[in-house]
Amino acid sequence: MPDPTVTEHLANERTFLAWIRTSISVIVFGFVVAKFGITLRELLRLHAAAGAAGEAAQSGWSLAIGIGFMLLGVLMSVVAVTRYHHTRRRLLTGQFQPAGPIVTFLAAITIAFGLVLSVYLLLTGLGH
């Protein structure tokens, strides 16, 4: 029968890799949102029609929201590596404790960004 600590360390590594995959997804999503805003702004400038200036200003929010998601992804990576090493030390000393408030904090930030993105899409979608 395998040593239980081996399975615990492997579970810690799998959890770490899941956090990293998620943070990469959030970073890429932020890049796509930001790039979409830049592309939209360029298209509106090329098709300078009546009212395009207001829409171009709204598309600037895409860049801010995209950068926010990218920073969230970076923060998730930092938390992942910190949590991985913290859990590893606790497993080695036999003092493991489940994750604390950091999980709730990251969930709250993710919810806030999701709500901001939803409101942005509603506001920009209603203008058409």
Side-chain angles (χ1 to χ4, degrees):
M1 181 155 177
D3 183 2
T5 58
V6 171
T7 58
E8 291 167 356
H9 286 285
L10 291 173
N12 187 32
E13 288 181 17
R14 284 191 303 272
T15 302
F16 168 71
L17 292 174
W19 275 86
I20 293 298
R21 281 191 304 271
T22 303
S23 67
I24 290 169
S25 298
V26 171
I27 291 169
V28 169
F29 178 71
F31 178 81
V32 169
V33 169
K35 187 67 175 166
F36 172 75
I38 293 168
T39 303
L40 180 60
R41 210 171 23 252
E42 291 300 316
L43 286 173
L44 290 173
R45 190 166 47 149
L46 290 174
H47 295 74
E55 291 179 26
Q58 283 181 343
S59 69
W61 282 101
S62 294
L63 180 61
I65 293 170
I67 290 172
F69 272 102
M70 293 171 74
L71 292 174
L72 174 63
V74 170
L75 175 65
M76 289 174 72
S77 293
V78 169
V79 169
V81 74
T82 303
R83 182 70 186 156
Y84 169 78
H85 288 296
H86 179 75
T87 301
R88 184 175 175 274
R89 281 191 302 275
R90 293 261 174 149
L91 287 172
L92 289 172
T93 61
Q95 300 173 345
F96 175 76
Q97 293 179 346
I102 192 68
V103 173
T104 305
F105 173 71
L106 285 174
I109 289 175
T110 305
I111 291 167
F113 272 107
L115 291 173
V116 166
L117 190 58
S118 298
V119 169
Y120 171 72
L121 289 175
L122 281 173
L123 293 176
T124 57
L126 293 176
H128 295 293

